[in-house]
Amino acid sequence: GKIVVDPNEFKVVQMIMSQWKSGRSFNAIAKWLNGQNIPSKLNKQWSDKGIASVIRRQTTQIRKTDEGNGAR
């Protein structure tokens, strides 16, 4: 099946990845999102474990995409 991207969720994931790439900790990102009143996918407060999960999922997808394109 085709993957459908939720535009709101995509924006949040991009924000998380940007914050992480700039060196912020999982906990700092969670506090920042909660301070901005941006709920998690389950409409709850963010935690460091939730942030870690998003980053792990994203970096795994990037690696799989790179491998599929012949990158090592």
Side-chain angles (χ1 to χ4, degrees), residues 10-53:
F10 182 72
K11 281 188 225 174
V12 174
V13 170
Q14 284 184 310
M15 287 190 281
I16 290 170
M17 294 305 291
S18 175
Q19 294 288 315
W20 180 64
K21 287 176 182 176
S22 73
R24 295 188 80 180
S25 70
F26 299 155
N27 192 43
I29 298 168
K31 285 182 177 184
W32 179 75
L33 288 169
N34 292 330
Q36 298 291 314
N37 294 316
I38 299 172
S40 71
K41 186 176 179 180
L42 300 175
N43 207 28
K44 296 185 178 188
Q45 292 274 301
W46 286 96
S47 68
D48 58 342
K49 287 181 179 64
I51 298 299
S53 177

